[in-house]
Amino acid sequence: MPIATPEEYNEMLDRAKAGSFAYPAINVTSTQTLNAALAAFAEAESDGIVQVSTGGAEYLSGPTIKNKVTGSVALAAAAHEIAKNYPVKVALHTDHCPKGNLDSFVRPLLAISEERVARGELPLFQSHMWDGSAVPMQENLEIAQELLARTSKANIILEIEIGVVGGEEDGVEAEINEKLYTTVEDGLATVEALGAGEKGRYMTALTFGNVHGVYKPGNVHLRPEILKEIQDAVGAKVGKDKPFDLVFHGGSGSTAQEISDAVDHGVIKMNIDTDAQYAFTRPVVDHMFRNYDGVLKVEGEVGNKKAYDPRAYGKLAEAGMAARIVEACQQLRSAGNKIK
């Protein structure tokens, strides 16, 4: 079964941590971008994660519908069917969910999985993210406790954010300031509230200068060493090496060394969104410029159906995005590390 079972997902994450590599987590908004991700994982011989944000889920449901649950369920259904053709394991994840969207996104999807598990079936998604970066730390952890109790019973992994990712993604916006750096105290408070696995497995997005989007060199200062400081302090408290399963958000435009350092410090999942979007769109632009008199009916001509057929440039877009994801697999060292 190409969509990972809960046991296989746990095995994926354990293998990444033990082998010092990380999985690309690719934001998708359509079956085209889903196809690109699956093709890339297969080419790189890497297992991976496909994820959908609140905005992506709304778009998947149809621009006139904008129903996050409908879009998410549709993506999961498509992924379960399409992924059967690929020789890799893929986990399904929901990305950033702020407090205002919990009741229209994560909680309803959790309820669906709870019903499925009660019937002896597998959960619909393998992990969900709660983004509490915009609320006070205490409230962030209280909501995380409530969600962790539910996700653990449904064989789902919870992802939380401790700290703030700068920039903007799907309406969640944060300034670029000192709050971009999670503290050791934040890490200790997290393990105090959520435990070190005994209350259920969770992944932690600790921030070390991360910013959504792409910025010119010098505008963003990443400090991966913060991850080691927090892992060491929390590890000393709970008697466990690298106790947190870390997630790297806002990584578009990061250097190879910054990515490598983050993985060395326990990152096992890295979100790839902005770079993948550009890689998808760039070949379409090239096609349009090169074939403007074919995609347009210029000066009374009829154009060229082969040029404006969406499949013509859609294939190019998927190939461009897939190439960028293969590059991510190589940078994150997941290439060649699929479950046999």
Side-chain angles (χ1 to χ4, degrees):
M1 186 175 180
I3 299 299
T5 65
E7 293 76 20
E8 289 170 334
Y9 193 24
N10 276 283
E11 181 185 352
M12 283 172 59
L13 301 183
D14 289 342
R15 290 181 71 250
K17 201 162 190 180
S20 192
F21 65 89
Y23 296 105
I26 310 303
N27 282 75
V28 300
T29 55
S30 64
T31 53
Q32 279 193 300
T33 49
L34 170 63
N35 285 336
L38 294 173
F41 292 145
E43 180 181 342
E45 297 187 341
S46 168
D47 300 315
I49 299 168
V50 167
Q51 60 189 25
V52 60
S53 64
T54 55
E58 286 187 349
Y59 183 77
L60 274 157
S61 74
T64 63
I65 302 300
K66 295 185 178 181
N67 185 294
K68 291 184 279 293
V69 173
T70 296
S72 300
V73 173
L75 168 70
H80 274 83
E81 191 62 33
I82 296 172
K84 292 177 182 178
N85 300 297
Y86 293 91
V88 290
K89 291 294 179 184
V90 180
L92 303 179
H93 175 78
T94 60
D95 200 13
H96 290 272
C97 181
K99 182 179 178 181
N101 284 324
L102 282 172
D103 288 337
S104 61
F105 191 44
V106 164
R107 287 188 177 121
L109 290 173
L110 261 177
I112 291 172
S113 284
E114 287 167 341
E115 292 172 3
R116 289 168 62 96
V117 171
R119 296 194 299 265
E121 302 172 9
L122 297 174
L124 188 63
F125 282 81
Q126 286 69 59
S127 52
H128 292 295
M129 182 186 180
W130 148 238
D131 183 352
S133 61
V135 302
M137 182 68 169
Q138 182 176 347
E139 183 180 6
N140 183 352
L141 293 176
E142 287 173 353
I143 293 175
Q145 287 176 314
E146 172 237 320
L147 292 173
L148 184 61
R150 292 183 64 181
T151 55
S152 62
K153 289 181 181 178
N155 299 321
I156 294 170
I157 295 172
L158 180 68
E159 180 183 329
I160 61 172
E161 184 167 313
I162 303 298
V164 176
V165 176
E168 186 274 335
E169 182 178 53
D170 278 351
V172 179
E173 188 169 356
E175 295 180 4
I176 299 176
N177 55 31
E178 72 280 353
K179 293 182 180 179
L180 302 186
Y181 304 95
T182 307
T183 66
V184 168
E185 290 72 26
D186 292 335
L188 291 169
T190 299
V191 80
E192 180 70 26
L194 304 181
E198 70 277 6
K199 298 180 181 180
R201 189 165 193 170
Y202 61 95
M203 295 182 283
T204 313
L206 301 178
T207 59
F208 51 101
N210 318 55
V211 177
H212 288 131
V214 174
Y215 294 80
K216 291 183 178 180
N219 286 12
V220 176
H221 180 46
L222 291 179
R223 296 173 54 201
E225 65 273 12
I226 287 176
L227 301 180
K228 184 179 188 306
E229 293 170 7
I230 296 173
Q231 291 275 45
D232 289 348
V234 175
K237 179 179 177 64
V238 301
K240 189 177 181 181
D241 183 46
K242 296 180 183 176
F244 285 132
D245 294 333
L246 297 181
V247 182
F248 188 163
H249 284 259
S252 295
S254 300
T255 68
Q257 188 61 53
E258 289 167 339
I259 293 172
S260 178
D261 290 347
V263 173
D264 286 341
H265 299 325
V267 165
I268 58 174
K269 172 179 179 283
M270 179 175 173
N271 291 8
I272 311 290
D273 186 13
T274 304
D275 282 0
Q277 289 175 342
Y278 182 78
F280 183 88
T281 301
R282 182 64 181 81
V284 178
V285 175
D286 184 71
H287 176 84
M288 297 303 174
F289 281 158
R290 290 178 182 273
N291 299 280
Y292 76 95
D293 54 349
V295 298
L296 298 176
K297 297 181 179 181
V298 179
E299 296 180 352
E301 295 297 326
V302 296
N304 181 349
K305 183 181 184 301
K306 291 183 178 180
Y308 60 73
D309 183 335
R311 290 170 293 185
Y313 50 88
K315 291 175 184 177
L316 298 174
E318 289 181 33
M321 180 172 170
R324 178 62 185 85
I325 297 170
V326 169
E327 179 185 338
C329 292
Q330 294 166 344
Q331 286 184 321
L332 293 170
R333 312 172 197 158
S334 68
N337 274 314
K338 70 175 183 177
I339 295 176
K340 306 300 183 183

